[in-house]
């Protein structure tokens, strides 16, 4: 997947990631100071942006960092000609404390969601599946459908007829 050709919204990187670097600034560095070429905040900010763009494995995160446009790389604090390597990302990210990283990113997201304007459109997430269980010649497997209003996070599971489960 080529990140430079993604369907991401046209929002300036400084606008979307400005507070992220500040939120990640207090993470303890798992590396020795000797030999550090890029600040921890820069690499972790780029990794968080890559994961938010849908890139999950370390190799995919490194590909996103390598393919991101030069202007975005500069906004993230990465020199376009010296981007973090796959090996650096693969070694650095697992060395971070996951609880502290989760807390830092969660705090940043909470601030962003509290200050974000309300969406003009309403979104509903829908998921369904067929349950395992006994089937006879007269009955088929039971289908489950769940819908959740994205703006209120309310929803309830329903069967295929739209009736709530008892």
């Amino acid at each position: 997947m080529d990140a430079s050709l993604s369907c991401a919204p046209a929002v300036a990187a400084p606008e979307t990631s400005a507070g992220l670097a500040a939120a990640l600034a207090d993470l303890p560095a798992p590396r020795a100071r000797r030999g550090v070429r890029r600040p921890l905040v820069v690499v972790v900010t780029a990794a968080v942006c890559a994961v938010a763009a849908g890139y999950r494995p370390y190799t995919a995160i490194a590909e996103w960092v390598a393919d991101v446009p030069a202007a975005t790389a500069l906004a993230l604090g990465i020199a376009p000609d010296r981007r973090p390597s796959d090996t650096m990302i693969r070694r650095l990210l697992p060395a971070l404390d996951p609880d502290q990283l989760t807390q830092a990113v969660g705090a940043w997201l909470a601030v962003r969601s509290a200050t974000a304007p309300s969406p003009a459109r309403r979104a509903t997430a829908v998921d369904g599946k067929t349950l395992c269980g006994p089937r006879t010649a007269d009955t088929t497997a039971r289908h489950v459908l769940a819908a959740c209003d994205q703006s209120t996070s309310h929803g309830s599971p329903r069967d295929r007829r739209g009736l709530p489960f008892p």
Side-chain angles (χ1 to χ4, degrees), residues 56-72:
R56 302 291 242 160
Y58 299 128
T59 303
I61 293 170
E63 288 175 4
W64 184 87
V65 171
D67 293 341
V68 76
T72 303

PDB file of all heavy atoms in Angstrom, residues 56-72:
ATOM      1  N   ARG A  56      -0.048  -1.571  10.421  1.00  0.00           N
ATOM      2  CA  ARG A  56       0.110  -2.197  11.726  1.00  0.00           C
ATOM      3  C   ARG A  56       1.453  -2.884  11.949  1.00  0.00           C
ATOM      4  O   ARG A  56       2.093  -2.599  12.940  1.00  0.00           O
ATOM      5  CB  ARG A  56      -1.015  -3.199  11.956  1.00  0.00           C
ATOM      6  CG  ARG A  56      -2.377  -2.577  11.876  1.00  0.00           C
ATOM      7  CD  ARG A  56      -2.619  -1.676  13.013  1.00  0.00           C
ATOM      8  NE  ARG A  56      -3.737  -2.208  13.754  1.00  0.00           N
ATOM      9  CZ  ARG A  56      -4.010  -1.920  14.974  1.00  0.00           C
ATOM     10  NH1 ARG A  56      -3.259  -1.122  15.637  1.00  0.00           N
ATOM     11  NH2 ARG A  56      -5.033  -2.435  15.573  1.00  0.00           N
ATOM     12  N   PRO A  57       1.897  -3.797  11.107  1.00  0.00           N
ATOM     13  CA  PRO A  57       3.182  -4.467  11.377  1.00  0.00           C
ATOM     14  C   PRO A  57       4.341  -3.466  11.288  1.00  0.00           C
ATOM     15  O   PRO A  57       4.236  -2.426  10.648  1.00  0.00           O
ATOM     16  CB  PRO A  57       3.298  -5.522  10.270  1.00  0.00           C
ATOM     17  CG  PRO A  57       1.948  -5.638   9.668  1.00  0.00           C
ATOM     18  CD  PRO A  57       1.249  -4.343   9.915  1.00  0.00           C
ATOM     19  N   TYR A  58       5.441  -3.806  11.935  1.00  0.00           N
ATOM     20  CA  TYR A  58       6.596  -2.913  11.948  1.00  0.00           C
ATOM     21  C   TYR A  58       7.079  -2.600  10.532  1.00  0.00           C
ATOM     22  O   TYR A  58       7.444  -1.463  10.232  1.00  0.00           O
ATOM     23  CB  TYR A  58       7.740  -3.522  12.768  1.00  0.00           C
ATOM     24  CG  TYR A  58       7.373  -3.759  14.205  1.00  0.00           C
ATOM     25  CD1 TYR A  58       7.557  -4.991  14.798  1.00  0.00           C
ATOM     26  CD2 TYR A  58       6.828  -2.738  14.982  1.00  0.00           C
ATOM     27  CE1 TYR A  58       7.216  -5.207  16.124  1.00  0.00           C
ATOM     28  CE2 TYR A  58       6.484  -2.953  16.303  1.00  0.00           C
ATOM     29  CZ  TYR A  58       6.681  -4.183  16.878  1.00  0.00           C
ATOM     30  OH  TYR A  58       6.333  -4.391  18.176  1.00  0.00           O
ATOM     31  N   THR A  59       7.084  -3.581   9.669  1.00  0.00           N
ATOM     32  CA  THR A  59       7.527  -3.362   8.295  1.00  0.00           C
ATOM     33  C   THR A  59       6.600  -2.376   7.589  1.00  0.00           C
ATOM     34  O   THR A  59       7.062  -1.498   6.855  1.00  0.00           O
ATOM     35  CB  THR A  59       7.573  -4.691   7.519  1.00  0.00           C
ATOM     36  OG1 THR A  59       8.432  -5.583   8.227  1.00  0.00           O
ATOM     37  CG2 THR A  59       8.082  -4.503   6.112  1.00  0.00           C
ATOM     38  N   ALA A  60       5.306  -2.496   7.806  1.00  0.00           N
ATOM     39  CA  ALA A  60       4.345  -1.583   7.183  1.00  0.00           C
ATOM     40  C   ALA A  60       4.511  -0.166   7.730  1.00  0.00           C
ATOM     41  O   ALA A  60       4.408   0.810   6.978  1.00  0.00           O
ATOM     42  CB  ALA A  60       2.921  -2.080   7.409  1.00  0.00           C
ATOM     43  N   ILE A  61       4.775  -0.033   9.037  1.00  0.00           N
ATOM     44  CA  ILE A  61       5.017   1.285   9.618  1.00  0.00           C
ATOM     45  C   ILE A  61       6.248   1.909   8.962  1.00  0.00           C
ATOM     46  O   ILE A  61       6.234   3.086   8.590  1.00  0.00           O
ATOM     47  CB  ILE A  61       5.183   1.183  11.145  1.00  0.00           C
ATOM     48  CG1 ILE A  61       3.856   0.770  11.787  1.00  0.00           C
ATOM     49  CG2 ILE A  61       5.677   2.498  11.735  1.00  0.00           C
ATOM     50  CD1 ILE A  61       3.964   0.404  13.248  1.00  0.00           C
ATOM     51  N   ALA A  62       7.313   1.115   8.804  1.00  0.00           N
ATOM     52  CA  ALA A  62       8.530   1.618   8.161  1.00  0.00           C
ATOM     53  C   ALA A  62       8.256   2.011   6.710  1.00  0.00           C
ATOM     54  O   ALA A  62       8.798   3.016   6.217  1.00  0.00           O
ATOM     55  CB  ALA A  62       9.633   0.569   8.225  1.00  0.00           C
ATOM     56  N   GLU A  63       7.421   1.264   5.997  1.00  0.00           N
ATOM     57  CA  GLU A  63       7.062   1.615   4.621  1.00  0.00           C
ATOM     58  C   GLU A  63       6.297   2.933   4.582  1.00  0.00           C
ATOM     59  O   GLU A  63       6.514   3.762   3.701  1.00  0.00           O
ATOM     60  CB  GLU A  63       6.240   0.502   3.986  1.00  0.00           C
ATOM     61  CG  GLU A  63       7.043  -0.727   3.653  1.00  0.00           C
ATOM     62  CD  GLU A  63       6.176  -1.864   3.133  1.00  0.00           C
ATOM     63  OE1 GLU A  63       4.946  -1.679   2.955  1.00  0.00           O
ATOM     64  OE2 GLU A  63       6.734  -2.950   2.916  1.00  0.00           O
ATOM     65  N   TRP A  64       5.395   3.125   5.547  1.00  0.00           N
ATOM     66  CA  TRP A  64       4.644   4.385   5.602  1.00  0.00           C
ATOM     67  C   TRP A  64       5.602   5.553   5.807  1.00  0.00           C
ATOM     68  O   TRP A  64       5.511   6.576   5.135  1.00  0.00           O
ATOM     69  CB  TRP A  64       3.607   4.340   6.719  1.00  0.00           C
ATOM     70  CG  TRP A  64       2.741   5.561   6.767  1.00  0.00           C
ATOM     71  CD1 TRP A  64       1.591   5.780   6.081  1.00  0.00           C
ATOM     72  CD2 TRP A  64       2.980   6.761   7.532  1.00  0.00           C
ATOM     73  NE1 TRP A  64       1.090   7.033   6.367  1.00  0.00           N
ATOM     74  CE2 TRP A  64       1.925   7.643   7.266  1.00  0.00           C
ATOM     75  CE3 TRP A  64       3.972   7.150   8.414  1.00  0.00           C
ATOM     76  CZ2 TRP A  64       1.840   8.900   7.848  1.00  0.00           C
ATOM     77  CZ3 TRP A  64       3.885   8.410   8.997  1.00  0.00           C
ATOM     78  CH2 TRP A  64       2.830   9.272   8.714  1.00  0.00           C
ATOM     79  N   VAL A  65       6.534   5.388   6.748  1.00  0.00           N
ATOM     80  CA  VAL A  65       7.515   6.438   7.026  1.00  0.00           C
ATOM     81  C   VAL A  65       8.369   6.705   5.785  1.00  0.00           C
ATOM     82  O   VAL A  65       8.670   7.854   5.466  1.00  0.00           O
ATOM     83  CB  VAL A  65       8.398   6.063   8.240  1.00  0.00           C
ATOM     84  CG1 VAL A  65       9.556   7.026   8.399  1.00  0.00           C
ATOM     85  CG2 VAL A  65       7.562   6.025   9.512  1.00  0.00           C
ATOM     86  N   ALA A  66       8.744   5.660   5.062  1.00  0.00           N
ATOM     87  CA  ALA A  66       9.573   5.826   3.864  1.00  0.00           C
ATOM     88  C   ALA A  66       8.798   6.477   2.718  1.00  0.00           C
ATOM     89  O   ALA A  66       9.384   7.216   1.920  1.00  0.00           O
ATOM     90  CB  ALA A  66      10.117   4.466   3.418  1.00  0.00           C
ATOM     91  N   ASP A  67       7.493   6.222   2.630  1.00  0.00           N
ATOM     92  CA  ASP A  67       6.696   6.704   1.503  1.00  0.00           C
ATOM     93  C   ASP A  67       5.985   8.028   1.748  1.00  0.00           C
ATOM     94  O   ASP A  67       5.434   8.601   0.815  1.00  0.00           O
ATOM     95  CB  ASP A  67       5.640   5.661   1.123  1.00  0.00           C
ATOM     96  CG  ASP A  67       6.250   4.404   0.551  1.00  0.00           C
ATOM     97  OD1 ASP A  67       7.416   4.456   0.114  1.00  0.00           O
ATOM     98  OD2 ASP A  67       5.566   3.363   0.550  1.00  0.00           O
ATOM     99  N   VAL A  68       5.959   8.496   2.980  1.00  0.00           N
ATOM    100  CA  VAL A  68       5.219   9.716   3.287  1.00  0.00           C
ATOM    101  C   VAL A  68       5.862  10.894   2.534  1.00  0.00           C
ATOM    102  O   VAL A  68       7.081  10.933   2.352  1.00  0.00           O
ATOM    103  CB  VAL A  68       5.174   9.940   4.825  1.00  0.00           C
ATOM    104  CG1 VAL A  68       6.488  10.460   5.359  1.00  0.00           C
ATOM    105  CG2 VAL A  68       4.058  10.857   5.223  1.00  0.00           C
ATOM    106  N   PRO A  69       5.060  11.834   2.040  1.00  0.00           N
ATOM    107  CA  PRO A  69       5.625  12.972   1.306  1.00  0.00           C
ATOM    108  C   PRO A  69       6.628  13.762   2.162  1.00  0.00           C
ATOM    109  O   PRO A  69       6.535  13.784   3.393  1.00  0.00           O
ATOM    110  CB  PRO A  69       4.399  13.835   0.975  1.00  0.00           C
ATOM    111  CG  PRO A  69       3.245  12.887   1.031  1.00  0.00           C
ATOM    112  CD  PRO A  69       3.590  11.868   2.060  1.00  0.00           C
ATOM    113  N   ALA A  70       7.558  14.423   1.500  1.00  0.00           N
ATOM    114  CA  ALA A  70       8.624  15.152   2.192  1.00  0.00           C
ATOM    115  C   ALA A  70       8.065  16.223   3.122  1.00  0.00           C
ATOM    116  O   ALA A  70       8.587  16.430   4.224  1.00  0.00           O
ATOM    117  CB  ALA A  70       9.576  15.766   1.173  1.00  0.00           C
ATOM    118  N   ALA A  71       7.007  16.906   2.716  1.00  0.00           N
ATOM    119  CA  ALA A  71       6.430  17.960   3.557  1.00  0.00           C
ATOM    120  C   ALA A  71       5.888  17.373   4.858  1.00  0.00           C
ATOM    121  O   ALA A  71       6.036  17.969   5.931  1.00  0.00           O
ATOM    122  CB  ALA A  71       5.320  18.683   2.805  1.00  0.00           C
ATOM    123  N   THR A  72       5.260  16.203   4.780  1.00  0.00           N
ATOM    124  CA  THR A  72       4.743  15.552   5.978  1.00  0.00           C
ATOM    125  C   THR A  72       5.887  15.074   6.852  1.00  0.00           C
ATOM    126  O   THR A  72       5.835  15.202   8.080  1.00  0.00           O
ATOM    127  CB  THR A  72       3.828  14.376   5.591  1.00  0.00           C
ATOM    128  OG1 THR A  72       2.783  14.864   4.750  1.00  0.00           O
ATOM    129  CG2 THR A  72       3.223  13.724   6.819  1.00  0.00           C
TER     130      THR A  72
END
